[in-house]
PDB file of all heavy atoms in Angstrom:
ATOM      1  N   LEU A  36      -4.192  10.320   7.669  1.00  0.00           N
ATOM      2  CA  LEU A  36      -4.411   9.810   6.324  1.00  0.00           C
ATOM      3  C   LEU A  36      -5.496   8.743   6.413  1.00  0.00           C
ATOM      4  O   LEU A  36      -5.395   7.826   7.226  1.00  0.00           O
ATOM      5  CB  LEU A  36      -3.130   9.212   5.738  1.00  0.00           C
ATOM      6  CG  LEU A  36      -1.989  10.183   5.474  1.00  0.00           C
ATOM      7  CD1 LEU A  36      -0.728   9.431   5.078  1.00  0.00           C
ATOM      8  CD2 LEU A  36      -2.368  11.174   4.381  1.00  0.00           C
ATOM      9  N   ALA A  37      -6.500   8.864   5.587  1.00  0.00           N
ATOM     10  CA  ALA A  37      -7.590   7.889   5.579  1.00  0.00           C
ATOM     11  C   ALA A  37      -7.061   6.517   5.172  1.00  0.00           C
ATOM     12  O   ALA A  37      -6.093   6.397   4.418  1.00  0.00           O
ATOM     13  CB  ALA A  37      -8.684   8.340   4.612  1.00  0.00           C
ATOM     14  N   ASP A  38      -7.716   5.482   5.674  1.00  0.00           N
ATOM     15  CA  ASP A  38      -7.327   4.105   5.378  1.00  0.00           C
ATOM     16  C   ASP A  38      -7.265   3.854   3.872  1.00  0.00           C
ATOM     17  O   ASP A  38      -6.351   3.210   3.377  1.00  0.00           O
ATOM     18  CB  ASP A  38      -8.302   3.142   6.056  1.00  0.00           C
ATOM     19  CG  ASP A  38      -7.834   1.707   5.991  1.00  0.00           C
ATOM     20  OD1 ASP A  38      -6.742   1.416   6.529  1.00  0.00           O
ATOM     21  OD2 ASP A  38      -8.553   0.877   5.395  1.00  0.00           O
ATOM     22  N   GLU A  39      -8.231   4.376   3.146  1.00  0.00           N
ATOM     23  CA  GLU A  39      -8.254   4.168   1.697  1.00  0.00           C
ATOM     24  C   GLU A  39      -7.062   4.853   1.024  1.00  0.00           C
ATOM     25  O   GLU A  39      -6.480   4.317   0.089  1.00  0.00           O
ATOM     26  CB  GLU A  39      -9.559   4.676   1.085  1.00  0.00           C
ATOM     27  CG  GLU A  39      -9.711   4.283  -0.366  1.00  0.00           C
ATOM     28  CD  GLU A  39     -11.086   4.592  -0.929  1.00  0.00           C
ATOM     29  OE1 GLU A  39     -11.791   5.466  -0.384  1.00  0.00           O
ATOM     30  OE2 GLU A  39     -11.439   3.945  -1.920  1.00  0.00           O
ATOM     31  N   VAL A  40      -6.655   6.000   1.511  1.00  0.00           N
ATOM     32  CA  VAL A  40      -5.483   6.694   0.971  1.00  0.00           C
ATOM     33  C   VAL A  40      -4.226   5.868   1.224  1.00  0.00           C
ATOM     34  O   VAL A  40      -3.381   5.711   0.345  1.00  0.00           O
ATOM     35  CB  VAL A  40      -5.344   8.110   1.571  1.00  0.00           C
ATOM     36  CG1 VAL A  40      -4.019   8.751   1.189  1.00  0.00           C
ATOM     37  CG2 VAL A  40      -6.511   8.981   1.141  1.00  0.00           C
ATOM     38  N   LEU A  41      -4.117   5.310   2.426  1.00  0.00           N
ATOM     39  CA  LEU A  41      -2.966   4.467   2.737  1.00  0.00           C
ATOM     40  C   LEU A  41      -2.933   3.233   1.833  1.00  0.00           C
ATOM     41  O   LEU A  41      -1.870   2.832   1.365  1.00  0.00           O
ATOM     42  CB  LEU A  41      -3.001   4.053   4.210  1.00  0.00           C
ATOM     43  CG  LEU A  41      -2.824   5.196   5.214  1.00  0.00           C
ATOM     44  CD1 LEU A  41      -3.114   4.710   6.624  1.00  0.00           C
ATOM     45  CD2 LEU A  41      -1.439   5.799   5.099  1.00  0.00           C
ATOM     46  N   ALA A  42      -4.089   2.646   1.577  1.00  0.00           N
ATOM     47  CA  ALA A  42      -4.161   1.494   0.679  1.00  0.00           C
ATOM     48  C   ALA A  42      -3.754   1.890  -0.738  1.00  0.00           C
ATOM     49  O   ALA A  42      -3.024   1.150  -1.420  1.00  0.00           O
ATOM     50  CB  ALA A  42      -5.563   0.900   0.693  1.00  0.00           C
ATOM     51  N   LEU A  43      -4.189   3.049  -1.188  1.00  0.00           N
ATOM     52  CA  LEU A  43      -3.808   3.519  -2.526  1.00  0.00           C
ATOM     53  C   LEU A  43      -2.306   3.780  -2.615  1.00  0.00           C
ATOM     54  O   LEU A  43      -1.677   3.481  -3.640  1.00  0.00           O
ATOM     55  CB  LEU A  43      -4.592   4.777  -2.897  1.00  0.00           C
ATOM     56  CG  LEU A  43      -6.073   4.569  -3.161  1.00  0.00           C
ATOM     57  CD1 LEU A  43      -6.795   5.919  -3.276  1.00  0.00           C
ATOM     58  CD2 LEU A  43      -6.288   3.728  -4.409  1.00  0.00           C
ATOM     59  N   LEU A  44      -1.726   4.324  -1.564  1.00  0.00           N
ATOM     60  CA  LEU A  44      -0.281   4.537  -1.545  1.00  0.00           C
ATOM     61  C   LEU A  44       0.466   3.206  -1.615  1.00  0.00           C
ATOM     62  O   LEU A  44       1.471   3.084  -2.311  1.00  0.00           O
ATOM     63  CB  LEU A  44       0.136   5.325  -0.303  1.00  0.00           C
ATOM     64  CG  LEU A  44      -0.252   6.794  -0.293  1.00  0.00           C
ATOM     65  CD1 LEU A  44      -0.031   7.402   1.086  1.00  0.00           C
ATOM     66  CD2 LEU A  44       0.534   7.561  -1.353  1.00  0.00           C
ATOM     67  N   LEU A  45      -0.053   2.201  -0.901  1.00  0.00           N
ATOM     68  CA  LEU A  45       0.559   0.880  -0.953  1.00  0.00           C
ATOM     69  C   LEU A  45       0.429   0.278  -2.352  1.00  0.00           C
ATOM     70  O   LEU A  45       1.396  -0.287  -2.886  1.00  0.00           O
ATOM     71  CB  LEU A  45      -0.060  -0.041   0.093  1.00  0.00           C
ATOM     72  CG  LEU A  45       0.535  -1.436   0.213  1.00  0.00           C
ATOM     73  CD1 LEU A  45       2.040  -1.388   0.468  1.00  0.00           C
ATOM     74  CD2 LEU A  45      -0.170  -2.214   1.324  1.00  0.00           C
ATOM     75  N   LEU A  46      -0.723   0.427  -2.970  1.00  0.00           N
ATOM     76  CA  LEU A  46      -0.878  -0.048  -4.353  1.00  0.00           C
ATOM     77  C   LEU A  46       0.109   0.656  -5.284  1.00  0.00           C
ATOM     78  O   LEU A  46       0.689   0.040  -6.165  1.00  0.00           O
ATOM     79  CB  LEU A  46      -2.304   0.204  -4.853  1.00  0.00           C
ATOM     80  CG  LEU A  46      -3.356  -0.837  -4.544  1.00  0.00           C
ATOM     81  CD1 LEU A  46      -4.714  -0.384  -5.075  1.00  0.00           C
ATOM     82  CD2 LEU A  46      -2.995  -2.191  -5.116  1.00  0.00           C
ATOM     83  N   GLY A  47       0.287   1.946  -5.057  1.00  0.00           N
ATOM     84  CA  GLY A  47       1.207   2.717  -5.877  1.00  0.00           C
ATOM     85  C   GLY A  47       2.661   2.336  -5.687  1.00  0.00           C
ATOM     86  O   GLY A  47       3.508   2.660  -6.520  1.00  0.00           O
ATOM     87  N   SER A  48       2.960   1.628  -4.604  1.00  0.00           N
ATOM     88  CA  SER A  48       4.342   1.209  -4.358  1.00  0.00           C
ATOM     89  C   SER A  48       4.704  -0.056  -5.127  1.00  0.00           C
ATOM     90  O   SER A  48       5.870  -0.446  -5.161  1.00  0.00           O
ATOM     91  CB  SER A  48       4.561   0.979  -2.855  1.00  0.00           C
ATOM     92  OG  SER A  48       3.974  -0.235  -2.420  1.00  0.00           O
TER      93      SER A  48
END
Side-chain angles (χ1 to χ4, degrees):
L36 294 172
D38 190 61
E39 189 171 23
V40 171
L41 294 170
L43 290 170
L44 288 169
L45 183 55
L46 274 178
S48 75

